[in-house]
Amino acid sequence: MAEMTGRYETGKFGKKIKPNLSMLQIINMSMGFLGIQMAFGLQNGNASRILANFGADVHELSWFWLVAPITGLIVQPIIGHMGDNTWSPLGRRKPYFLIGAILCAIGLVMLPNAASATQMMAANVLLLAVIFLAMMDASINVAMEPFRALVGDMLPKHQGTIGFSVQTILIGIGAVIGSDLPNWLTKWGVSNSAPKGFVADNVIYAFYIGAAVLIVSILYTIITTKEYSPEEFAAFDDGKEIVEHQSKFSDIFKDFNNIPSQMKKLGIVQFFSWFALFTMWVFTTSALATHHFGLSPDDTHSAEFNKAGDLTGSLFGSYNFYAIFFAFALTPIAKFIGKKQTHALALACGGLGLISMYFIKDVNNLWISMVGLGFAWASILAMPYAMLIDSIPQNKMGVYMGIFNFFIVIPQIINGIFGGPIVSGVFGKQAIDYVVVGGVCMLLGAVLTLFFVKSEHDTPKEIEEEIQQVHF
């Protein structure tokens, strides 16, 4: 048993380790994720629709969506490295929350208004929309990466699964609101149609609300969470290295060469998981419009197409809603069958969910597909990170979380380059066929998790021993 010493615990070998945080403290430190994911949900559910409203063709959509992974590829390792070496009066990670939230809120306001801004600036509407989308994506990455690192900073490693599960719950709540908000506004009387080349009011107002919630939630985390000071970090058994060995920017390249083996294995699983997710986010609106509503692939301005867009947001809200409940179950399931077995099961359910969208023709029954995707999404947001943090040096938590993001953005970049031409040239613009390909990729991720990822110890005794014995 560990005994409390101030803010610290002393383990059985006399070394100071981080104390357990209460559930309220864990919620407070992750509350900003609610706003971030609300912004992310608004983007995922509406970016393709907005770009189509501005004149983008279905085969171009994945190219425009490349903005998100490319900015993540560049921004996250840099922000992670900077956070690892930041000691400000505001904290270590919190300055980046605040900067990212402000810039993202501006992007949320401007993206759906790109057509109006175009008239004032005499610019190309699609180009301006992509610029605002890039601003949103970069800012979301600036705000998001430090939240992952904050769990590693603040929690003892045996609370990692709980910490990331709480983040997943808040992510789910934010995404449900963000994904469904345009549809809710339509039901409350806000118009979901607009003149050709413009975005409907229900989407515009939803983005305004998302910007406000983002700022408030980030400020809540900043106000309620006190990060460890350099002196407190130095008191931990692995904290002295954090404070005394500040790294140079060029060390990022050295860190790439020292990626832990477990990260590489989890990265391969992440590749197939996020390839599937990107497919779903980009092509669901087009898939529903052609496969379920019977529209022409080139019909992007009719009321029926906007209904498909509203339905996409509602479905995305549904899988995020189911993810909330699965997030509560992740820890007990992982204790019972193991972390990697839990993740493999979740990915299998997600893959089957995507494939089932092809066979379920009644749109009122598509919620069935979203149940499996909810399980997969909850696990993707939590279990890989819970399996990863034991293998990451404490003084490199931020930069390695950023590097781990490479295994998320690279599959999206590849998919973004080739996805549109495949849908157009191979599948005759029938996007539902490519959604099925995404489902197969997620099933491959499940198989790789079972047979490729390293097993972990789950019992409290073994976890306590790991905490005492692992040194970096």
Side-chain angles (χ1 to χ4, degrees), residues 214-290:
L214 173 61
I215 294 294
V216 171
S217 64
I218 292 287
L219 288 175
Y220 179 88
T221 287
I222 290 174
I223 293 169
T224 60
T225 301
K226 184 182 185 299
E227 296 186 69
Y228 290 122
S229 67
E231 294 75 21
E232 289 172 312
F233 262 119
F236 300 136
D237 59 346
D238 57 357
K240 188 175 181 181
E241 184 180 356
I242 298 175
V243 178
E244 294 185 351
H245 294 81
Q246 302 293 289
S247 58
K248 303 183 296 292
F249 183 80
S250 59
D251 288 343
I252 293 178
F253 302 102
K254 296 179 182 178
D255 296 330
F256 276 105
N257 294 326
N258 296 315
I259 294 175
S261 174
Q262 180 77 331
M263 181 186 289
K264 295 177 183 177
K265 294 175 180 179
L266 286 167
I268 295 174
V269 174
Q270 291 284 79
F271 180 95
F272 287 100
S273 304
W274 284 88
F275 190 99
L277 290 171
F278 187 84
T279 300
M280 177 184 68
W281 290 333
V282 175
F283 293 107
T284 293
T285 296
S286 296
L288 293 176
T290 55

Side-chain angles (χ1 to χ4, degrees), residues 57-74:
D57 191 72
V58 64
H59 77 272
E60 299 172 325
L61 291 178
S62 63
W63 295 342
F64 290 120
W65 272 74
L66 281 173
V67 173
I70 289 174
T71 54
L73 188 73
I74 298 169

Side-chain angles (χ1 to χ4, degrees), residues 32-56:
F33 240 131
L34 185 148
I36 292 171
Q37 196 62 32
M38 186 171 173
F40 201 50
L42 284 164
Q43 176 184 307
N44 285 346
N46 296 282
S48 289
R49 174 187 185 178
I50 290 171
L51 294 171
N53 290 154
F54 290 154

Side-chain angles (χ1 to χ4, degrees), residues 86 164 206 276 366:
T86 294
F164 289 118
L366 284 173

Side-chain angles (χ1 to χ4, degrees), residues 185-208:
L185 291 176
T186 299
K187 293 178 180 178
W188 296 335
V190 180
S191 174
N192 73 334
S193 61
K196 185 176 180 179
F198 288 84
V199 176
D201 285 345
N202 67 329
V203 175
I204 293 174
Y205 294 152
F207 274 59
Y208 291 167

